[in-house]
Amino acid sequence: MWKRLSEANLKMKPTIIYKCQKCGNYTLAANTQKTKHCPYCGTTINLQKAQKIAAGKNAFEASEILKHLKTQRGFDRKPT
Ligand SMILES: [Zn+2]
């Protein structure tokens, strides 16, 4: 019960969408993080230098924005 509550609190942190400088994919990180490994190419992204694409009030909102951005770019569509 308490563990669940603290996990929920973690997800309420403001979350930024960054663009990986190497592969150009988008990734999420809390605004308190300084570096992040890109889940696509594995490079270490310096979040203070990386391009910020968008920001959400929490991880959930940021992931919704990210989903929308990916749809716009066609990442989720399979080539026909
Ligand atoms: Zn990358």
Side-chain angles (χ1 to χ4, degrees), residues 1-2 9 11 15 18 23-24 30 37 39 47 53-54 56 59-60 69:
M1 180 76 177
W2 287 110
N9 283 339
K11 287 182 180 164
T15 303
Y18 294 96
C23 70
H37 287 284
L47 298 178
I53 304 300
F60 178 76
L69 290 169

Side-chain angles (χ1 to χ4, degrees), residues 27-38:
T27 186
L28 296 175
N31 68 346
T32 50
Q33 270 182 265
K34 290 195 172 70
T35 60
K36 158 113 189 178
H37 287 284
C38 173

